[in-house]
Amino acid sequence: MDKAGMMNESGVNIDLYIPRKCSATNRLIHSKDKASVQLNIGHVNADGVYTGEWTTMALCGFIRSQGEADGALDRLWSKCYEDAKRAGHDI
């Protein structure tokens, strides 16, 4: 997967700001959106032990202000879990 942003000849990222996208609405999260959050959800094995892997999800302030953050996070995680099960990965 290619890294986001502009790279110089050495392969170093030279952008000052790379905007995030909302996982629920696919909108860009602007730098002035102070209500947005980014969550890292840790993966556990069958025994409930953290495996050192995580899934990152970002929610914009619009979703949070509408009161849809809980439902959106539930839908996103259910989809992520089903995709991982189909691919044969443990989450």
Side-chain angles (χ1 to χ4, degrees):
M1 184 169 123
D2 293 332
K3 293 183 180 179
M6 190 181 330
M7 305 285 182
N8 64 8
E9 291 116 13
S10 303
V12 177
N13 187 347
I14 57 173
D15 281 338
L16 297 176
Y17 174 72
I18 299 172
R20 296 174 292 161
K21 288 181 92 171
C22 178
S23 300
T25 62
N26 221 20
R27 292 180 176 193
L28 281 179
I29 299 176
H30 300 283
S31 60
K32 299 290 183 181
D33 188 355
K34 302 300 183 191
S36 64
V37 293
Q38 180 171 323
L39 304 168
N40 290 331
I41 301 171
H43 298 189
V44 296
N45 61 14
D47 298 326
V49 178
Y50 176 62
T51 62
E53 298 176 351
W54 64 87
T55 300
T56 302
M57 296 185 185
L59 296 173
C60 63
F62 172 75
I63 290 292
R64 296 186 67 214
S65 68
Q66 297 296 315
E68 295 292 323
D70 185 43
L73 194 60
D74 187 40
R75 284 189 301 276
L76 288 167
W77 184 247
S78 297
K79 181 182 180 302
C80 181
Y81 181 73
E82 292 299 322
D83 291 345
K85 278 179 64 176
R86 263 187 249 118
H89 297 95
D90 289 332
I91 290 186

